[in-house]
């Protein structure tokens, strides 16, 4: 079946511009996660949604970052006034949201380059 | 938040068993441990997840001691295609919070 999809796959923007990244989770998955991976670095957790609600936003790097999820499905991660240090691959994952064990399925990522 | 550490790199030969250990000394009661595999320019791929003792699936085993301060991913009989970066992830899957990745272990499988 269809996996997690993200768009765009690549985004090049100028410093100071706003960008919006989109994630389409696997159908029926109630949990959705955003991570980022800077060049040559490890993975960093940003935010988690259960349904449309994000109980903890403290993982977002700054107040320029925001995320929302509507209809329990698509999520968007918005970065305002982008900075060069925002350049990274932004990864989205979804999971069924079961409380015993839960497996996250990752999308291919959006590579963001801020010039 | 749990701080996680892993060896930066490991080398192995085809057909050998590989064990990669992740340390997570201040793991919380509700935290689970998950391991992922990542190839260049691809998103991580789930390998295995556990809470305590031993978990086994068709591709790997996960050993977690009673104190849960570490976990070991075991890959039986690796092949060249297992060359990748392996990440451990510790976090509360009940509430979807406090997820912390280890720095990743770059495994190189040699012929």
């Amino acid at each position: 079946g269809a996996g997690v999809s993200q768009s765009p796959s690549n985004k090049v923007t100028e410093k100071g511009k706003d960008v919006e990244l989109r994630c389409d989770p696997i159908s029926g998955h109630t949990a959705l996660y955003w991570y980022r991976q800077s060049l040559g670095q490890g993975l960093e957790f940003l935010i988690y949604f259960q349904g449309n609600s994000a109980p903890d936003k403290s993982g977002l790097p700054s107040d320029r970052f925001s995320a929302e999820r509507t209809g329990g499905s698509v999520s968007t991660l918005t970065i305002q006034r982008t900075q060069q240090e925002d350049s990274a691959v932004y990864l989205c994952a979804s999971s069924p949201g079961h409380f015993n064990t839960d497996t996250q399925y990752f999308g291919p990522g959006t590579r963001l380059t801020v010039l | 938040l749990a701080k996680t550490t892993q060896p930066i790199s490991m080398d192995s030969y085809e057909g050998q068993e590989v064990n990669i250990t992740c340390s997570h000394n201040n793991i919380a009661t509700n935290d689970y441990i998950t391991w992922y595999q990542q190839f260049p320019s691809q998103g991580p791929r789930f390998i295995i997840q556990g809470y305590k003792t031993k978990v086994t699936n068709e591709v790997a085993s996960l050993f977690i001691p009673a104190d849960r301060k570490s976990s070991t991913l075991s890959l039986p009989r690796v092949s060249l295609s297992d060359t990748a970066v392996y990440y451990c992830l510790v976090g509360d899957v009940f509430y979807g919070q406090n997820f912390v990745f280890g720095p990743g272990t770059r495994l190189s499988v040699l012929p």
Side-chain angles (χ1 to χ4, degrees):
Chain A
V4 178
S5 62
Q6 294 185 243
S7 61
S9 56
N10 279 286
K11 176 71 177 178
V12 180
T13 190
E14 295 179 345
K15 177 182 174 181
K17 301 283 189 181
D18 297 351
V19 296
E20 189 172 277
L21 312 179
R22 176 187 170 107
C23 173
D24 281 272
I26 293 172
S27 178
H29 280 192
T30 61
L32 186 147
Y33 309 78
W34 283 98
Y35 301 89
R36 75 174 175 181
Q37 189 168 29
S38 302
L39 183 63
Q41 301 297 312
L43 290 151
E44 177 187 4
F45 169 73
L46 298 180
I47 193 168
Y48 155 80
F49 287 92
Q50 179 59 252
N52 293 333
S53 176
D56 182 4
K57 299 182 180 180
S58 62
L60 295 175
S62 76
D63 59 9
R64 296 185 294 104
F65 287 70
S66 62
E68 65 175 13
R69 189 179 185 195
T70 56
S73 182
V74 172
S75 176
T76 55
L77 177 69
T78 302
I79 310 173
Q80 296 178 309
R81 305 181 302 283
T82 52
Q83 303 293 313
Q84 289 182 332
E85 61 262 28
D86 300 333
S87 296
V89 176
Y90 288 82
L91 291 156
C92 173
S94 72
S95 67
H98 300 151
F99 286 151
N100 284 333
T101 60
D102 212 19
T103 302
Q104 298 179 32
Y105 298 87
F106 283 78
T110 294
R111 182 176 298 276
L112 174 66
T113 304
V114 181
L115 302 177
Chain B
L1 296 179
K3 178 176 171 58
T4 56
T5 60
Q6 302 174 233
I8 296 301
S9 64
M10 295 181 68
D11 291 338
S12 182
Y13 291 95
E14 278 193 293
Q16 289 189 330
E17 177 185 81
V18 170
N19 296 308
I20 306 173
T21 297
C22 178
S23 296
H24 27 79
N25 287 326
N26 57 337
I27 187 170
T29 302
N30 289 337
D31 288 348
Y32 276 69
I33 300 150
T34 313
W35 283 82
Y36 293 89
Q37 176 191 56
Q38 187 177 33
F39 297 109
S41 302
Q42 294 186 25
R45 184 173 71 95
F46 171 86
I47 301 174
I48 198 167
Q49 183 181 70
Y51 183 79
K52 61 181 178 180
T53 64
K54 178 183 175 182
V55 181
T56 298
N57 62 22
E58 63 275 12
V59 298
S61 295
L62 178 60
F63 299 91
I64 305 169
D67 65 7
R68 305 201 325 121
K69 293 185 177 183
S70 67
S71 58
T72 299
L73 172 72
S74 181
L75 304 172
R77 299 179 298 283
V78 294
S79 64
L80 296 177
S81 62
D82 292 319
T83 294
V85 179
Y86 292 82
Y87 291 94
C88 64
L89 170 68
V90 176
D92 183 346
V93 298
F94 281 78
Y95 296 104
Q97 59 188 7
N98 302 329
F99 287 103
V100 178
F101 278 95
T105 297
R106 185 174 300 277
L107 173 65
S108 298
V109 180
L110 307 173

